[in-house]
Amino acid sequence: MSVEAVEKMGDFGKDADGALVEGRAPDLDLPREMCVLEGPGEPCVLVIFGASGDLAGRKLLPALWNLYLQGGVPQTFAILGCARTPMTDETFRAYTRELLESAGMLKASRWEGFSRLLHYRVLDYGDPEAFKTLGSDLDALDREAHTAGNRVFYLAVPPGIYARTAELLGNSGLSGEGTGRGGWSRIVVEKPFGHDLESAERLDGILHRYFREHQIFRIDHYLAKETVQNILMFRFANAIFEPLWNRRYIDYIAVTAAETLGVEHRAGYYEEAGVLRDMFQNHIMQLLALTAMEPPSIFEAERVRDEKAKAYRALRPFPVDRLDEYLVLGQYGPGVLDGREVPGYREETGVSPDSLTPTFAMMRVFLDNWRWQGVPFYLTSGKRLKAKRTELAIAFKHVPHSMFRQVLGEHISANRLILGIYPEERITLTFQTKNPGAKVCLRTVTMDFNYHQNYTGPVLEAYEKVLIDCILGDQMLFWRQDGVELCWSFLTPILHRCETCGNRAERLLRYPAGSWGPDQAHQLGPVLDSLSDTP
């Protein structure tokens, strides 16, 4: 039966005889450009500091190329790469083309138009005079490209020079907007936003000395994933779920971000950060907030971020004097993953042979508010685990009374809702039905929805979406400073206790690469058991 026929049947998908029929979510068949950029977008220059670095090469330049192909950049637009690496406009264009070719992304017929957008300036991040020269170059580029003085400054540089770069932008007058200068100015900061609460507040102080809050875009690319954005739609646009989304019906919620990769080329950063700073302070906390927050009065950036902040304020202070009851830390050792032997963390290049940096953490937290009182949230992330999986698991309570105990026994599996974020972008709901046959038996069945089912329009990668929002000035998917500080306020006491306790080495549990983490994590909560049971 065609989609058109199903649509004509009405909301319940019934035919003329009233029998239920199978329907599918239709593709709205909108023009591609309507699914990418809302409106033409204001003219602007995107300045990438660190344009010759890893982030720009792997993420930003390919994302900008894809946006260009899909009509996702303003009609009047320029890209200015800045770095210490000596390059000219032409060599930067050749460098970008080589990146795209090696990734299998290049479409030769479109390259000439994109290449004209690319410009480059050699820049010493510690030289005030270089930033004054950059200002003059930007003025000239504005006149040449007709970009109206609008600028996005993207800090694709090491976190240690965020503050200095922002300071030099401010001192050279590049952060100003409004009176005395036409156009707007925005600064984009990648995580990590500090190393703890004190450093986060210090970075914020410097940023706000030169930029106002509406000019600051703190990126967490997890928020731009389609399935993460869908969490709020799923919760607040479906009347069948929101009434059950509370302590009366939910037993526990698990937020899991499991990785198969090891430390890779990030040993220098990871040795200083560890899993709590690398994953919990940003990605995990954002997923927690989206799952736990109250509905905003309107779907608008500040209202949504207000509700996230309320969720963070409701976090019960972590019992650091009883860490063993609420937190498990681990570090991967040698093991087998996908049929090949992989080294342990301490054997990785750039890692200290006696490192005490955790690569796995599982914690049980609570929110002290009306909706969630008494419901545990299990937050888990780790490297070199058995499978790559990012998901939210909502475990509903068991039926209060088993009327089937005489034939089925006392145990009936509880309903479970899984919001798969990556790599399986899907929603699954498990429930109980009678097994066909004469004998009365239950079986667990799954209602399954693939997020991209029957959709043929453009799909934006996370960095493509955040770049569009930076250009449009939409803060919905970005951190606000109070959220950053509230999360650090929660995590800093945990970090301090873990990093200063006398038995730090004993608390760090070894687990083999290719497993689901330390055995002790199974004792903290049921999350890893359910992951282990999933193919």
Side-chain angles (χ1 to χ4, degrees):
M1 183 174 291
S2 69
V3 171
E4 290 79 9
V6 172
E7 288 178 322
K8 290 177 182 178
M9 294 175 190
D11 294 339
F12 293 97
K14 293 184 179 181
D15 61 17
D17 296 325
L20 290 173
V21 297
E22 182 179 351
R24 296 169 61 191
D27 184 346
L28 298 179
D29 197 28
L30 296 172
R32 293 180 67 85
E33 60 272 15
M34 287 185 65
C35 298
V36 179
L37 187 64
E38 296 180 11
E42 292 186 75
C44 70
V45 178
L46 175 65
V47 182
I48 304 176
F49 294 109
S52 62
D54 181 67
L55 176 62
R58 286 189 305 111
K59 297 294 185 181
L60 301 183
L61 292 171
L64 288 165
W65 166 247
N66 276 335
L67 287 176
Y68 174 78
L69 294 180
Q70 298 187 69
V73 298
Q75 293 180 355
T76 307
F77 185 60
I79 302 165
L80 178 62
C82 297
R84 293 190 178 98
T85 305
M87 278 195 277
T88 64
D89 288 357
E90 291 306 317
T91 53
F92 182 55
R93 290 165 185 165
Y95 165 77
T96 303
R97 179 174 181 134
E98 184 178 340
L99 284 173
L100 299 176
E101 281 181 327
S102 62
M105 300 172 62
L106 186 67
K107 291 185 178 181
S109 62
R110 302 291 304 277
W111 168 251
E112 186 63 31
F114 182 73
S115 69
R116 288 196 291 268
L117 303 180
L118 297 172
H119 308 267
Y120 188 86
R121 297 294 182 273
V122 178
L123 183 77
D124 182 345
Y125 303 119
D127 182 4
E129 291 302 316
F131 278 76
K132 292 179 181 178
T133 302
L134 174 63
S136 299
D137 291 341
L138 281 170
D139 289 339
L141 187 56
D142 281 334
R143 291 189 294 270
E144 175 189 335
H146 307 289
T147 47
N150 297 325
R151 294 146 186 188
V152 178
F153 298 104
Y154 198 116
L155 304 191
V157 295
I161 60 176
Y162 287 170
R164 180 59 174 161
T165 306
E167 186 175 39
L168 289 175
L169 284 170
N171 288 336
S172 59
L174 292 171
S175 64
E177 54 182 13
T179 304
R181 192 187 83 77
W184 42 255
S185 178
R186 296 167 187 154
I187 187 168
V188 185
V189 184
E190 283 271 349
K191 78 170 186 75
F193 316 116
H195 191 257
D196 54 17
L197 177 59
E198 182 181 356
S199 60
E201 290 175 333
R202 188 163 55 248
L203 174 61
D204 174 58
I206 293 172
L207 289 173
H208 278 95
R209 193 178 304 163
Y210 305 102
F211 296 87
R212 288 176 288 175
E213 179 64 24
H214 77 270
Q215 295 177 270
I216 303 171
F217 289 70
R218 302 173 187 85
I219 276 189
D220 185 338
H221 71 273
Y222 257 50
L223 281 173
K225 292 180 181 292
E226 286 282 358
T227 41
V228 174
Q229 296 178 61
N230 187 55
I231 294 170
L232 292 187
M233 312 300 173
F234 180 82
R235 284 189 57 193
F236 299 129
N238 294 290
I240 63 172
F241 290 110
E242 179 54 25
L244 310 180
W245 211 266
N246 56 58
R247 70 186 190 281
R248 292 185 61 191
Y249 300 99
I250 292 178
D251 188 27
Y252 69 86
I253 290 178
V255 179
T256 304
E259 299 180 275
T260 55
L261 291 177
V263 70
E264 305 301 308
H265 58 280
R266 302 171 67 223
Y269 160 73
Y270 204 86
E271 274 285 82
E272 295 295 322
V275 67
L276 292 177
R277 290 185 176 90
D278 184 49
M279 290 294 292
F280 278 68
Q281 190 276 332
N282 37 76
H283 303 330
I284 298 293
M285 283 296 180
Q286 283 285 3
L287 294 176
L288 171 65
L290 291 170
T291 310
M293 63 184 272
E294 297 295 329
S297 58
I298 189 172
F299 189 62
E300 185 271 331
E302 291 309 305
R303 304 286 181 90
V304 170
R305 299 198 294 179
D306 285 345
E307 296 303 331
K308 286 183 182 178
K310 290 179 186 177
Y312 296 139
R313 290 189 182 97
L315 280 166
R316 183 183 300 174
F318 205 79
V320 293
D321 56 334
R322 294 182 289 144
L323 282 181
D324 291 341
E325 300 176 33
Y326 292 89
L327 175 67
V328 173
L329 296 176
Q331 184 188 85
Y332 68 85
V336 178
L337 192 61
D338 295 331
R340 63 183 180 89
E341 294 186 359
V342 295
Y345 179 73
R346 294 176 183 176
E347 289 77 52
E348 300 275 19
T349 303
V351 174
S352 170
D354 56 356
S355 172
L356 296 179
T357 300
T359 62
F360 173 95
M362 179 180 181
M363 65 170 62
R364 182 173 61 214
V365 305
F366 293 87
L367 275 69
D368 286 333
N369 61 18
W370 192 271
R371 182 186 290 261
W372 296 116
Q373 188 63 40
V375 177
F377 286 74
Y378 295 96
L379 313 180
T380 307
S381 184
K383 290 189 170 295
R384 286 291 191 212
L385 297 180
K386 187 175 182 178
K388 183 172 181 61
R389 191 173 302 159
T390 303
E391 67 179 33
L392 304 176
I394 294 87
F396 291 93
K397 291 184 176 181
H398 289 83
V399 293
H401 169 66
S402 177
M403 58 182 282
F404 305 108
R405 66 165 58 91
Q406 292 179 333
V407 289
L408 299 175
E410 291 290 345
H411 179 74
I412 296 177
S413 296
N415 304 120
R416 188 178 177 86
L417 176 68
I418 305 291
L419 304 183
I421 293 170
Y422 191 85
E424 293 191 349
E425 298 180 316
R426 62 198 319 142
I427 299 172
T428 60
L429 176 65
T430 62
F431 53 93
Q432 304 304 312
T433 65
K434 179 185 178 296
N435 199 52
K439 185 177 179 180
V440 179
C441 299
L442 286 182
R443 63 172 175 169
T444 301
V445 297
T446 301
M447 189 180 295
D448 189 11
F449 166 69
N450 187 311
Y451 188 73
H452 295 287
Q453 175 185 322
N454 199 37
Y455 175 72
T456 59
V459 177
L460 296 182
E461 296 296 330
Y463 272 93
E464 294 168 25
K465 173 60 176 168
V466 294
L467 284 168
I468 283 179
D469 286 352
C470 292
I471 292 169
L472 295 177
D474 186 349
Q475 293 268 16
M476 178 73 74
L477 303 181
F478 296 83
W479 281 86
R480 199 169 63 187
Q481 184 59 26
D482 58 347
V484 173
E485 293 181 1
L486 286 165
C487 290
W488 275 127
S489 296
F490 177 74
L491 285 171
T492 296
I494 304 172
L495 289 163
H496 182 264
R497 183 58 179 261
C498 291
E499 294 170 354
T500 60
C501 63
N503 60 344
R504 184 179 177 186
E506 297 174 18
R507 289 185 181 277
L508 189 65
L509 307 172
R510 299 279 282 177
Y511 63 95
S515 69
W516 281 116
D519 292 338
Q520 289 85 341
H522 294 261
Q523 301 168 15
L524 185 63
V527 181
L528 295 182
D529 293 325
S530 61
L531 286 174
S532 303
D533 295 338
T534 305

